[in-house]
Amino acid sequence: MVNSSDFLHPRSRYYGKVQPENLVFNANLQEFAQDVSYICNLETAGKIPPDEAYKKIRDLWKQLKRSKKELGIGENPFQNDEEQKDS
């Protein structure tokens, strides 16, 4: 049986490096993409004005950036330590 939530908010499988922060960010990124798609469709259909669509997407983008920063995505503070050990 198909869950309506799975239909409205589909999730794709994650193939990257499996770390808790990567999985959480991937879920946030997929949610961002889905929400942007809904907003674009509403604006295209004339249900919301372009400036409101822009503001909503900008707010979603800020939330995604905040999530990235809080999760430390793209930062590896121990990378230099590991590289020095290999030398």
Side-chain angles (χ1 to χ4, degrees), residues 62-81:
K62 288 179 181 180
Q63 289 175 6
L64 186 65
K65 281 179 63 174
R66 191 176 323 116
S67 166
K68 178 184 178 282
K69 185 175 181 178
E70 289 172 359
L71 292 169
I73 302 298
E75 300 172 7
N76 192 350
F78 302 109
Q79 185 175 13
N80 292 335
D81 293 342

Side-chain angles (χ1 to χ4, degrees), residues 13-74:
R13 186 173 175 186
Y14 179 69
Y15 291 97
K17 186 175 181 182
V18 179
Q19 293 179 326
E21 61 271 16
N22 290 352
L23 295 172
V24 171
F25 183 71
N26 181 264
N28 293 344
L29 186 60
Q30 288 188 44
E31 184 177 342
F32 169 79
Q34 188 69 42
D35 290 347
V36 167
S37 178
Y38 287 144
I39 293 167
C40 290
N41 290 334
L42 288 170
E43 193 277 331
T44 300
K47 302 294 182 183
I48 61 174
D51 60 329
E52 183 180 343
Y54 173 80
K55 289 175 186 174
K56 288 178 182 281
I57 293 172
R58 184 186 62 205
D59 291 343
L60 290 171
W61 178 252
K62 288 179 181 180
Q63 289 175 6
L64 186 65
K65 281 179 63 174
R66 191 176 323 116
S67 166
K68 178 184 178 282
K69 185 175 181 178
E70 289 172 359
L71 292 169
I73 302 298

